[in-house]
Amino acid sequence: MPRRMISDVLEGRPLITATPDMTVRAASRLMAEKRIGALLILSGGSIAGIFTERDALNKVLAAGLDPDATNLSAVMVADPLTIREDKPLSHALHMMAEEGFRHVPVVDAGGRAVGMVSARDALGQDMIELEGDMRRMEALESSIGY
């Protein structure tokens, strides 16, 4: 996993975005439809913010706001930290752990949004690697008579 590059993780993934004037309800429906936990909010082609399922829960539902009348601009995290696509996934994971979030917007060398990585991206690969390690261990144990 530490050697996996962010660009490899994003390969073949569409960039799912929203605009600051989209309602929370519309954004939540889009996230549910696409089965994602966060949306990148673009304004004029630049990253304006990020809206996550946590934002929907904590800033909208728990606060009693109307999801049909609340725009993302009112509840998104503005100007989020980003990471470049040419970095290892482990750098993004470190950023998430240090800063306390689960999604990081990804940009190219020119600062253009190209995707989003999440803690789940690492978990999936870790599980695959763990299963492989377990199969190799079982095979080794069988071959030496355990």
Side-chain angles (χ1 to χ4, degrees), residues 89 93 96 101-104 117-124 126:
L89 181 59
L93 295 173
M96 289 179 222
F101 45 75
R102 296 182 290 184
H103 298 87
V104 180
V117 291
S118 73
R120 185 183 309 169
D121 292 320
L123 178 60
D126 281 345

Side-chain angles (χ1 to χ4, degrees), residues 46-117:
S46 297
I47 297 174
I50 182 174
F51 177 74
T52 70
E53 54 202 2
R54 277 178 155 173
D55 296 326
L57 177 66
N58 296 325
K59 295 178 182 177
V60 181
L61 293 176
L65 298 179
D66 180 354
D68 292 311
T70 304
N71 290 338
L72 294 180
S73 60
V75 292
M76 69 184 186
V77 174
D79 301 317
L81 295 175
T82 61
I83 192 163
R84 287 207 359 213
E85 66 182 340
D86 62 351
K87 299 292 183 198
L89 181 59
S90 59
H91 286 181
L93 295 173
H94 183 320
M95 182 186 294
M96 289 179 222
E98 288 291 309
E99 300 294 332
F101 45 75
R102 296 182 290 184
H103 298 87
V104 180
V106 179
V107 296
D108 64 14
R112 186 178 61 87
V114 296
M116 181 113 58
V117 291

Side-chain angles (χ1 to χ4, degrees), residues 16 28-38 53 120:
I16 311 295
S28 296
R29 284 184 176 147
L30 178 59
M31 289 167 41
E33 174 189 318
K34 299 298 183 180
R35 300 181 62 126
I36 57 176
E53 54 202 2
R120 185 183 309 169

